[in-house]
Amino acid sequence: MDLTATTTIRKPAPEVYAFWRDLENLPTFMAHLDQVRTTGATTSHWSASAPFGKDLEWDAEIVDETPTEKIQWRSTGEAAVPNSGTVRFVPAPDGVSTEVHVALVYDLPGGAVGKAVAKYFGEEPHQLLDDDLRRLKQVLETGEVVRSDGAPWGKRAREEFPQRPAQPLSDAEVEKGAEA
Amino acid sequence: MRANTWAGRNKVEVRDVPDPRILNSRDAIVRITSTAICGSDLHLVDGYVPTMQDGDVLGHEFMGEVIEVGPGVARDRLSVGDRVVVPFPIACGACAACAAELYSCCENTNPNAGIAEKMFGHPVAGIFGYSHLTGGYAGGQAQYARVPFADVNPLRIESDLTDEQVLFLSDILPTGYMGAEMCDIQPTDVVAVWGAGPVGQFAMDSARVLGAARVIAIDKEPYRLRMAEQAGHTPVNFEEVDVRSALLELTGGRGPDKCIDAVGMEATHGSAHIAAYDRLKQAVRSETDRPHALRQAITSCRSGGVVSVIGVYGGLLDKFPAGAWMNRSLTLRTGQCHVQRYMKPLLARIERGEIDPTRIITHTLPLDEADRGFEIFKNKEEDCEKVVLKP
Ligand SMILES: NC(=O)c1ccc[n+]([C@@H]2O[C@H](COP(=O)([O-])OP(=O)(O)OC[C@H]3O[C@@H](n4cnc5c(N)ncnc54)[C@H](O)[C@@H]3O)[C@@H](O)[C@H]2O)c1
Ligand SMILES: [Zn+2]
Ligand SMILES: [Zn+2]
């Protein structure tokens, strides 16, 4: 499965690049990731639960990078869902913003895991990546992922559609949401 | 707290809901002192805007006192105790749209941007109390509201103007003003405004403030036309006269130089069969909007003129007079109002007495009577023009 998405962020390329290059930042805006831990100069350990029907962990390494311009990575070892990705940072014509172009490739295995991933991404899988980039933009331009009463949990907004009503959360909901 | 909620098509209900809380660090909580019912709320309640849900708190025109601010709000921007008017589009202040003062197109404040993008091609800003398509934000027909990006959006009121004088800076006064501003008004211009509702009235007043030679008010409600006439505008009742002939007569055959649509997607039509055609198409969802006012504005406008659309459209419409628009060099301009752009200059105009926003208020009701407020505003009962609610 090949996914591409792009957005423009009103920050200079070095800043956008630096945020992404600190891979531990990825889960703040990528819906399917729970955690990324840096394990070396170019290596990292990733974990995800949502798309795969169960907790999955894998190692990854950066295979190519050009500071402020490009990062390319791939999973290593026995990943249950082998995957790779490239992100490019291109100065926008306005002279202040940066275009972020992302391409991800998932090698879908057969069996339950493959099915779970396919179901998670649904009929228009690029939309999830679009949403990830919208949140990246929110974080870099405003400081955090924007929440509303109908979509109070940030990363979970789309999967909750139709959402809870646009009315303030009760204490019980806040407790439950914080756990989920 | 008490809050007025959407309870299905044609039904609103004041219910007990939890008090709002800070969800993002730049939020504030406002205790609402005055709030209002808008024509846009009618589109929601009449069921023309998708993604409404049972229990959604309505309302996008509100003001009050700041009672809590999040840790990310600088104290010189906003503090507890400040008296504020809150603009209806939620803007982040940092994206390219905000930098261009296109606040209602803010790229960051709609958590459901993906859904809005499907509908509109590109997403739009979050709006209080205005469906999940614009973010799913609880609205301000309530005792309290959470206000995101509180360091960017609310306007502080430091003078002793009454709530009634400043409340409409939240929406309809800037909206009417933007409608007139988009017309690029010249001293020789005759400006025709479709709709003598609250938005139309303020578009008319703004056209005059911006120097129009004459302002024409088109509607069918005699009391609304009277209100426009008392403010110095020329009334045309589309149920009594043929609008086209009346406009030609009033402009020596030229047609109005500038036309403002302050009606939107639920326009009614003087001619029964055309009204029925659009009503049916709308009912079977092959057309979501009834564009009578817009069609008439386009065909009436003089060649080379401007048609400025502030009435709200939600989806698709039929029989758009593209030929008239193209062949006669018309300019079509529109937008949800970029309220933040206009709040300060319009506050100054209110302080100088150039515009009196209170002239349109006909009803002030307790919040608990919101359903009656909707009833009389929608059905044009008791000569209702604008309802202010007191929580
Ligand atoms: N662009 C924005 O940012 C913005 C902001 C606020 C409101 N609005 C929109 O402005 C519009 C008006 O709002 P309002 O509060 O004044 O509502 P309203 O419903 O009180 O007023 C609409 C008026 O239009 C009249 N009308 C109906 N059909 C007509 C026709 N064919 N020709 C002339 N008049 C006709 C009605 O009799 C009514 O008086 C609504 O569509 C509302 O959603 C837009
Ligand atoms: Zn309004
Ligand atoms: Zn913005």
Side-chain angles (χ1 to χ4, degrees):
Chain A
M1 184 169 59
D2 287 26
L3 306 178
T4 59
T6 178
T7 191
T8 298
I9 296 175
R10 208 160 181 276
K11 293 283 175 186
E15 190 177 327
V16 182
Y17 164 85
F19 185 82
W20 194 298
R21 181 61 183 81
D22 181 357
L23 299 175
E24 298 194 356
N25 283 328
L26 298 186
T28 58
F29 63 92
M30 293 195 119
H32 70 287
L33 293 178
D34 296 332
Q35 201 192 35
V36 177
R37 199 159 36 80
T38 304
T39 52
T42 58
T43 55
S44 50
H45 184 76
W46 302 43
S47 63
S49 52
F52 307 119
K54 57 175 184 177
D55 291 355
L56 280 196
E57 305 199 7
W58 66 94
D59 290 311
E61 66 173 351
I62 291 175
V63 290
D64 188 16
E65 68 177 314
T66 312
T68 79
E69 288 176 21
K70 185 176 113 173
I71 307 169
Q72 197 174 346
W73 71 93
R74 68 161 177 240
S75 60
T76 56
E78 296 292 294
V81 184
N83 62 86
S84 61
T86 309
V87 56
R88 291 182 301 115
F89 308 93
V90 182
D94 68 358
V96 287
S97 304
T98 304
E99 294 176 6
V100 179
H101 300 266
V102 184
L104 300 182
V105 179
Y106 289 91
D107 242 336
L108 291 194
V113 172
K115 266 198 194 132
V117 178
K119 178 158 178 268
Y120 175 78
F121 283 103
E123 281 170 19
E124 293 172 84
H126 69 90
Q127 285 185 350
L128 292 171
L129 188 54
D130 288 344
D131 286 348
D132 287 343
L133 293 193
R134 271 191 253 280
R135 284 186 290 266
L136 169 67
K137 181 175 162 71
Q138 290 170 10
V139 170
L140 282 168
E141 290 183 342
T142 81
E144 57 193 324
V145 173
V146 174
R147 293 157 187 259
S148 72
D149 311 88
W153 309 121
K155 293 206 297 185
R156 280 177 258 156
R158 190 186 288 262
E159 67 192 88
E160 286 172 348
F161 231 85
Q163 303 172 326
R164 67 179 300 288
Q167 72 173 231
L169 289 95
S170 65
D171 294 339
E173 276 177 298
V174 170
E175 258 168 54
K176 205 167 135 232
E179 284 163 18
Chain B
M1 67 167 181
R2 302 288 286 164
N4 187 38
T5 61
W6 194 84
R9 207 167 167 161
N10 284 322
K11 201 159 164 244
V12 300
E13 192 183 317
V14 179
R15 309 183 213 201
D16 287 314
V17 304
D19 288 347
R21 65 180 76 222
I22 304 275
L23 294 178
N24 281 115
S25 66
R26 289 160 70 189
D27 291 351
I29 306 293
V30 170
R31 182 181 63 80
I32 297 168
T33 53
S34 297
T35 174
I37 302 173
C38 176
S40 301
D41 295 329
L42 297 182
H43 302 320
L44 305 176
V45 170
D46 294 348
Y48 291 110
V49 178
T51 74
M52 289 300 291
Q53 286 180 217
D54 188 16
D56 284 354
V57 178
L58 294 166
H60 56 267
E61 304 181 356
F62 61 98
M63 64 177 296
E65 183 195 339
V66 176
I67 59 161
E68 191 183 347
V69 292
V73 179
R75 293 297 173 266
D76 57 329
R77 290 300 190 91
L78 200 74
S79 320
V80 169
D82 284 350
R83 185 173 175 232
V84 292
V85 179
V86 179
F88 79 83
I90 302 168
C92 78
C95 70
C98 286
E101 297 196 310
L102 296 166
Y103 301 103
S104 69
C105 301
C106 173
E107 297 160 8
N108 284 321
T109 54
N110 186 350
N112 299 327
I115 313 291
E117 186 178 65
K118 278 197 150 168
M119 184 105 176
F120 298 141
H122 288 281
V124 292
I127 297 180
F128 293 102
Y130 198 69
S131 88
H132 290 252
L133 199 59
T134 58
Y137 287 95
Q141 286 166 11
Q143 288 180 292
Y144 301 92
R146 163 191 174 237
V147 176
F149 296 105
D151 48 350
V152 174
N153 291 298
L155 172 75
R156 270 190 293 208
I157 304 295
E158 273 139 6
S159 56
D160 54 3
L161 294 170
T162 62
D163 276 19
E164 283 67 17
Q165 282 175 295
V166 293
L167 172 62
F168 302 139
L169 287 168
S170 58
D171 175 356
I172 54 173
L173 181 56
T175 297
Y177 187 86
M178 185 170 106
E181 192 193 61
M182 289 191 293
C183 288
D184 186 20
I185 290 172
Q186 306 298 313
T188 51
D189 279 349
V190 177
V191 179
V193 180
W194 275 256
V199 171
Q201 301 279 350
F202 286 154
M204 297 171 208
D205 291 357
S206 302
R208 186 183 44 218
V209 162
L210 290 171
R214 180 175 209 170
V215 180
I216 300 168
I218 304 159
D219 205 303
K220 67 176 181 350
E221 301 299 333
Y223 73 93
R224 292 188 165 198
L225 290 169
R226 258 195 320 274
M227 182 177 269
E229 192 171 15
Q230 274 157 14
H233 314 303
T234 307
V236 169
N237 187 325
F238 71 83
E239 280 195 331
E240 287 168 4
V241 301
D242 175 59
V243 173
R244 181 182 165 79
S245 321
L247 291 176
L248 290 177
E249 182 59 36
L250 286 164
T251 57
R254 301 185 305 277
D257 303 277
K258 309 289 161 66
C259 294
I260 300 176
D261 170 358
V263 179
M265 61 175 136
E266 291 183 66
T268 50
H269 196 280
S271 156
H273 73 275
I274 296 183
Y277 167 88
D278 283 301
R279 190 65 200 85
L280 181 70
K281 292 212 92 176
Q282 216 168 25
V284 300
R285 297 279 183 261
S286 79
E287 173 182 61
T288 55
D289 301 345
R290 291 200 302 267
H292 309 306
L294 178 58
R295 286 185 194 133
Q296 200 169 54
I298 291 173
T299 51
S300 304
C301 193
R302 71 131 159 102
S303 294
V306 177
V307 176
S308 161
V309 182
I310 44 175
V312 163
Y313 293 86
L316 308 172
L317 57 79
D318 220 27
K319 293 198 161 45
F320 178 81
W325 170 50
M326 187 274 156
N327 289 285
R328 298 198 299 102
S329 296
L330 298 179
T331 299
L332 200 55
R333 299 191 65 185
T334 187
Q336 289 282 2
C337 185
H338 306 295
V339 177
Q340 289 84 340
R341 209 198 268 173
Y342 302 102
M343 291 179 98
K344 273 195 183 144
L346 286 173
L347 176 62
R349 284 191 192 269
I350 295 169
E351 280 166 345
R352 289 198 300 266
E354 293 169 22
I355 293 179
D356 172 20
T358 64
R359 77 170 181 87
I360 65 162
I361 301 172
T362 51
H363 292 76
T364 301
L365 300 174
L367 174 67
D368 273 326
E369 288 177 38
D371 59 337
R372 188 168 88 81
F374 270 79
E375 203 62 35
I376 57 174
F377 179 56
K378 174 180 167 163
N379 298 325
K380 322 281 190 291
E381 289 161 15
E382 301 175 20
D383 286 359
C384 179
E385 178 80 21
K386 186 74 177 177
V387 181
V388 173
L389 299 170
K390 297 286 184 178

